[in-house]
Amino acid sequence: MPDADPILLELYRHRFEGVADEMGVTLRRTSHSPNIKERLDLSCAVFDGDGALVAQAAHIPVHLGAMPASVGAACAAVDTWAEGDVVVLNDPYAGGTHLPDVTMVSPVFVGTRDTPSFFVASRAHHADVGGMTPGSLPLATELVQEGTILPPVKLYDGGTRNDALLQTFLRNVRTPEERRGDLAAQRAAHSVGAERLQALAEAHGTAEVTAYARHLQGYSERRVRAALSGWPAGTYRFADELELPGGNTATIRVAATVADNTITFDFNGTDDAVDGNLNAVLPITESACYYVVQGLTEGTIPVNAGSFAPVSVRAPEGSLVNAVAPHAVAGGNVETSQRIVDAVLGALTQALPDRVPAAGQGTMNNLTLGGTRPDGSSFAYYETIGGGMGAGPDAEGLSGVHVHMTNTLNTPVEALEQAYPFRVVAYRLRPSSGGAGRFQGGDGLVRVYELLVPTTATMLSTRRPTAPWGRDGGTPAAPGRAVLVHPDGRTEELPAHFSRTLPAGSRLRVETPGGGGFGPPTDDGAP
């Protein structure tokens, strides 16, 4: 293969990323649920004909690092691809992450090839896929309790929809019309992605377009290896605690080894998978490690299969960070992924003290609310709530933002109140919740929901008794908390993990953690 022209390489980087971006815009604009339309809980990416990542949009880190496993699972399940095929899946043990994240994979044929030249994929968090509680993030102990499980299977075969599969799925969810609309939006995004890739091939030739997909992967690999060559060689260890229901904790241990332009993350010694839903499948652990390396290698290197190649992840099978069926995993995707990032950053603090920040809030503060509207229709709402970013070696942490493995927006109050029978009566920063230091950690948020009908509320959160850590003398941030205000005015402190049906008139107050401070505080509190 001839060497790449550097100008064309940069053009193709933006061309491929533009395809993924336009897929995401299409998915957002055509979706039905506020979770996708407003919060942007979605991700889109382009893969080559071998199923290797070529480009991704700047969507959700926890989705994108794991999506190669989804494409691999889809390819393993399909013997022969045809124009119009769409595979759908959400099984965490067959290419998925957790059940609400529904992934679609489609082949793209360009030129006269009878095998796919590319694949396009999308992942969207569906606000309900069945299971024990509305929102499909129940306090489960096995996967079947969490919702409808879809192994890799064709939803469209040569353009013909599998109506039996669709109806079976819709019959097992609480909000079937919303799910139907969101699935259709994902397919629309794939149509746009395929059209744009085919147009590139028509304009520039199939050989050039496919060649530059490989050039781009090689370029990213070279840049990551060059960046890693500047990191001090050695093995760096760290352990962090993940809070479990009932007051217990599980330990995540990692050893990061830098050597020969590569980095290996070994999670040997991490505790075994737990009885609850905080277990993570291996692609989630890989996502967290890829994310950290990307962030510490300038953050400007195109993310694709090449940028992942110098990064190896080892995790004991059956552990908290490499769970096996039938363990529940709903919280592993959202909570354990955050703690894996904290552990990996803690280890690399020893190698790169001038780059690694203090701990961010370390949780997604997952809240689901569901029930029946006065007109008899069902509703299911899901949201992650931002908090504080950890302060860095030369900057304060941001306040009231999503950090690390989540990259969503909030649901705007106006959109939320239009779609659901509850309202937000307070939404503001949580003063002084960030850790003190030479550089202050970011503050968390306060968000108060007033329920207008009886509602089942479920919350998965961490960093409650344990606080996000500071660095180099900076103080820890304030941990999070949740408070229930009963209709009669009584207040009740709620645990980090709870699920219960609340009467109309209840108010649920969520206070999210701040970020850790960096460096010892000065006497006057100024940097």
Side-chain angles (χ1 to χ4, degrees):
M1 183 170 61
D3 292 340
D5 177 273
I7 295 176
L8 277 179
L9 185 68
E10 187 68 10
L11 283 172
Y12 272 100
R13 171 187 179 172
H14 291 285
R15 285 167 175 167
F16 289 130
E17 290 177 355
V19 172
D21 281 332
E22 191 170 354
M23 290 175 63
V25 170
T26 302
L27 177 49
R28 177 187 187 182
R29 289 182 174 176
T30 58
S31 63
H32 286 210
S33 66
N35 189 57
I36 299 172
K37 185 179 294 292
E38 302 289 353
R39 289 189 59 246
L40 307 189
D41 201 343
L42 61 98
S43 296
C44 296
V46 176
F47 295 78
D48 66 20
D50 296 323
L53 181 65
V54 173
Q56 62 181 35
H59 291 151
I60 312 295
V62 76
H63 288 179
L64 291 163
M67 209 180 289
S70 301
V71 177
C75 290
V78 175
D79 292 329
T80 303
W81 290 97
E83 189 81 37
D85 284 351
V86 179
V87 168
V88 64
L89 65 96
N90 72 348
D91 187 345
Y93 298 109
T97 52
H98 66 175
L99 296 182
D101 283 344
V102 177
T103 303
M104 285 188 180
V105 180
S106 299
V108 180
F109 296 86
V110 299
T112 58
R113 293 188 59 178
D114 57 2
T115 58
S117 297
F118 294 97
F119 291 90
V120 291
S122 66
R123 175 168 287 156
H125 185 112
H126 288 244
D128 186 271
V129 292
M132 295 167 62
T133 58
S136 307
L137 291 177
L139 305 187
T141 57
E142 57 180 337
L143 185 67
V144 294
Q145 297 172 323
E146 296 185 316
T148 306
I149 303 170
L150 295 170
V153 61
K154 285 186 181 181
L155 181 60
Y156 289 84
D157 190 349
T160 300
R161 189 174 67 193
N162 184 338
D163 285 328
L165 172 64
L166 179 63
Q167 292 306 318
T168 300
F169 175 69
L170 297 179
R171 184 65 182 87
N172 284 278
V173 304
R174 294 174 177 84
T175 50
E177 291 310 308
E178 188 175 88
R179 301 286 67 73
R180 185 194 302 272
D182 288 345
L183 290 172
Q186 286 185 255
R187 185 176 183 237
H190 288 213
S191 295
V192 168
E195 289 172 5
R196 298 298 178 265
L197 289 168
Q198 289 162 348
L200 275 177
E202 290 174 5
H204 305 286
T206 301
E208 179 179 294
V209 175
T210 54
Y212 270 88
R214 295 191 295 275
H215 284 315
L216 192 60
Q217 292 162 340
Y219 169 72
S220 292
E221 181 173 352
R222 291 192 299 273
R223 284 195 60 187
V224 171
R225 290 189 185 279
L228 291 173
S229 70
W231 293 14
T235 297
Y236 310 96
R237 304 178 188 277
F238 195 81
D240 209 337
E241 300 298 316
L242 181 71
E243 301 139 30
L244 306 176
N248 296 319
T249 61
T251 302
I252 295 174
R253 294 181 176 87
V254 63
T257 300
V258 180
D260 300 325
N261 303 337
T262 65
I263 186 165
T264 300
F265 298 100
D266 190 337
F267 289 86
N268 189 46
T270 294
D271 285 353
D272 291 341
V274 298
D275 289 336
N277 67 3
L278 290 173
N279 306 292
V281 292
L282 184 60
I284 292 297
T285 303
E286 292 172 334
S287 282
C289 295
Y290 296 154
Y291 161 78
V292 171
V293 173
Q294 179 190 2
L296 294 177
T297 51
E298 304 176 31
T300 62
I301 301 172
V303 179
N304 54 47
S307 63
F308 298 160
V311 182
S312 299
V313 179
R314 302 170 184 166
E317 190 173 74
S319 68
L320 181 68
V321 296
N322 186 8
V324 295
H327 282 290
V329 297
N333 184 66
V334 289
E335 293 300 299
T336 309
S337 67
Q338 295 281 66
R339 194 64 69 256
I340 294 168
V341 169
D342 287 344
V344 170
L345 284 172
L348 293 178
T349 294
Q350 303 158 53
L352 305 168
D354 59 339
R355 296 192 204 176
V356 178
Q361 69 158 337
T363 177
M364 295 192 196
N365 305 291
N366 306 270
L367 177 64
T368 63
L369 299 171
T372 304
R373 297 182 178 90
D375 66 3
S377 63
S378 297
F379 69 93
Y381 157 89
Y382 169 66
E383 181 152 35
T384 58
I385 307 173
M389 179 185 292
D394 56 3
E396 294 188 344
L398 298 177
S399 297
V401 294
H402 289 279
V403 299
H404 295 321
M405 297 305 283
T406 176
N407 189 33
T408 61
L409 304 178
N410 61 194
T411 305
V413 170
E414 299 84 355
L416 183 153
E417 294 182 353
Q418 183 180 39
Y420 304 109
F422 49 85
R423 54 181 170 235
V424 175
V425 296
Y427 188 35
R428 58 180 178 269
L429 293 178
R430 184 185 177 198
S432 303
S433 54
R438 183 171 72 252
F439 294 103
Q440 184 87 16
D443 285 333
L445 289 167
V446 177
R447 194 156 164 98
V448 182
Y449 304 81
E450 182 178 21
L451 309 179
L452 305 181
V453 298
T455 301
T456 298
T458 302
M459 189 157 204
L460 300 180
S461 60
T462 51
R463 290 298 192 206
R464 264 44 187 179
T466 60
W469 38 265
R471 264 209 61 199
D472 289 12
T475 66
R481 64 194 292 256
V483 177
L484 173 63
V485 182
H486 292 268
D488 61 6
R490 292 181 298 113
T491 61
E492 177 186 353
E493 192 88 12
L494 295 171
H497 308 259
F498 68 84
S499 185
R500 57 197 287 188
T501 299
L502 307 176
S506 302
R507 289 190 176 190
L508 181 60
R509 177 187 180 94
V510 181
E511 301 179 12
T512 69
F518 193 102
T522 59
D523 291 339
D524 59 2

